Amino acid sequence: MANAPKPTTVQKESSTASNLFATLVIPICIIIGILLYKFVLGDPANFADGDPTKEPLVGNYAGMAYKGGVIVPVLMGMFLMVIVFSVERFIVIGKATGSGSLDAFVKKVQGLLSANNIEAAMAECDKQKGSVANVIKSGLKKYREMETETNMDTDQKCLAIQKDIEEATTLEMPMLEQNLTVVATLVSVGTLTGLLGTVTGMIKAFGGLATSGAPDQAALASGISEALINTATGIGTSTVAIIMYNILTSKIDKLTYAIDEAGFSIIQTYASTHK
């Protein structure tokens, strides 16, 4: 495998770039969330008498969200993270899929393999591009190499082709899940952060009930409002995160299945034509 060091280097460079992307995106999203909270939700136009310390105007949801307290900008930052990392993963997976329909590409390769037209199958890989095509092309190159190998029997050659496909998959596929763990983490962290905001809001609400004499109805209403706003924002963030995570993992599973299907066809074709 003379070409193995090259993809390994590319993988390391891609991994470093992906880690740098995550390192930058997380604090930037939090900062943007704080700015949106302060200057958009906290715009004086959203409140009675233009005073953010007073109650929001009737039906003004931005002002209501502002009253959710300091947890709201953190949750907004998390929501932005879900969107940014999901878009980034969609782009990466799209590149890995290649330029055309993945199902059509696999069927074309299978048809060319059945006709024992290895060169045409490799040409299709060049047209398709992407990680799936790279893995399949690696297997086809090994297929062609095994045809000139005289020191191995058919079973050994099939095993060598299978091993080559597995090695190529190991080099190409891990990058697809590089930042997916961030989205998976936000599924839980979003809910827990929203719950933290709920608890702080309820503490304020019960603080309004604990005053001597008549309960402070304004403090009670403000505390309950903060609790509900944080609950809703946290649940919303987690809901979007889990939907994006499931969509992305299903796309990655589809790519893996396509590689497995094409790899099986390569090995079976070699075994049946070189008995």
Side-chain angles (χ1 to χ4, degrees):
M1 296 296 294
N3 294 330
K6 185 176 180 182
T8 303
T9 303
V10 171
Q11 186 189 36
K12 287 181 179 178
E13 290 175 355
S14 300
S15 178
T16 301
S18 184
N19 290 335
L20 178 62
F21 175 81
T23 303
L24 292 174
V25 165
I26 292 173
I28 288 173
C29 285
I30 294 294
I31 292 170
I32 292 174
I34 293 171
L35 293 175
L36 288 173
Y37 175 78
K38 185 174 180 62
F39 296 107
V40 178
L41 302 185
D43 189 332
N46 297 327
F47 303 91
D49 300 327
D51 186 356
T53 61
K54 294 186 178 181
E55 292 303 307
L57 297 173
V58 177
N60 191 300
Y61 293 105
M64 292 179 188
Y66 180 81
K67 290 299 181 180
V70 295
I71 303 296
V72 171
V74 177
L75 289 168
M76 291 174 68
M78 290 182 180
F79 183 80
L80 289 173
M81 286 180 220
V82 172
I83 300 301
V84 172
F85 281 112
S86 295
V87 171
E88 185 258 351
R89 287 295 92 191
F90 273 115
I91 293 171
V92 171
I93 293 172
K95 289 181 179 179
T97 301
S99 58
S101 168
L102 192 60
D103 292 336
F105 165 68
V106 172
K107 288 179 180 177
K108 276 186 181 179
V109 170
Q110 289 174 328
L112 292 169
L113 282 171
S114 299
N116 201 29
N117 194 342
I118 305 302
E119 296 299 326
M122 293 176 66
E124 284 297 325
C125 292
D126 291 333
K127 290 179 184 177
Q128 180 72 11
K129 301 179 182 179
S131 295
V132 176
N134 290 341
V135 173
I136 295 173
K137 186 176 180 180
S138 178
L140 292 172
K141 283 182 178 179
K142 195 67 176 180
Y143 183 109
R144 189 172 58 182
E145 181 184 325
M146 289 296 102
E147 288 186 317
T148 60
E149 176 62 52
T150 58
N151 297 323
M152 301 167 67
D153 59 30
T154 300
D155 289 339
Q156 290 175 324
K157 291 178 179 180
C158 288
L159 186 61
I161 295 171
Q162 180 180 352
K163 184 178 179 181
D164 186 89
I165 293 171
E166 289 173 354
E167 288 177 353
T169 303
T170 301
L171 292 173
E172 291 282 353
M173 300 304 286
M175 284 302 299
L176 297 179
E177 299 180 355
Q178 183 71 34
N179 290 325
L180 203 57
T181 52
V182 178
V183 179
T185 302
L186 289 170
V187 172
S188 300
V189 174
T191 302
L192 292 174
T193 306
L195 181 60
L196 176 62
T198 303
V199 171
T200 58
M202 294 308 296
I203 289 172
K204 288 183 180 180
F206 282 106
L209 286 173
T211 55
S212 58
D216 187 342
Q217 294 184 356
L220 177 62
S222 176
I224 294 174
S225 176
E226 178 177 333
L228 295 177
I229 289 167
N230 282 287
T231 301
T233 309
I235 291 174
T237 299
S238 295
T239 300
V240 175
I242 198 168
I243 290 172
M244 290 296 101
Y245 179 81
N246 288 334
I247 291 173
L248 291 167
T249 51
S250 67
K251 285 182 174 293
I252 293 172
D253 289 343
K254 183 178 179 181
L255 296 183
T256 304
Y257 176 77
I259 290 175
D260 291 342
E261 185 180 3
F264 180 77
S265 296
I266 293 171
I267 296 167
Q268 288 297 105
T269 300
Y270 189 91
S272 63
T273 57
H274 295 78
K275 292 181 179 179

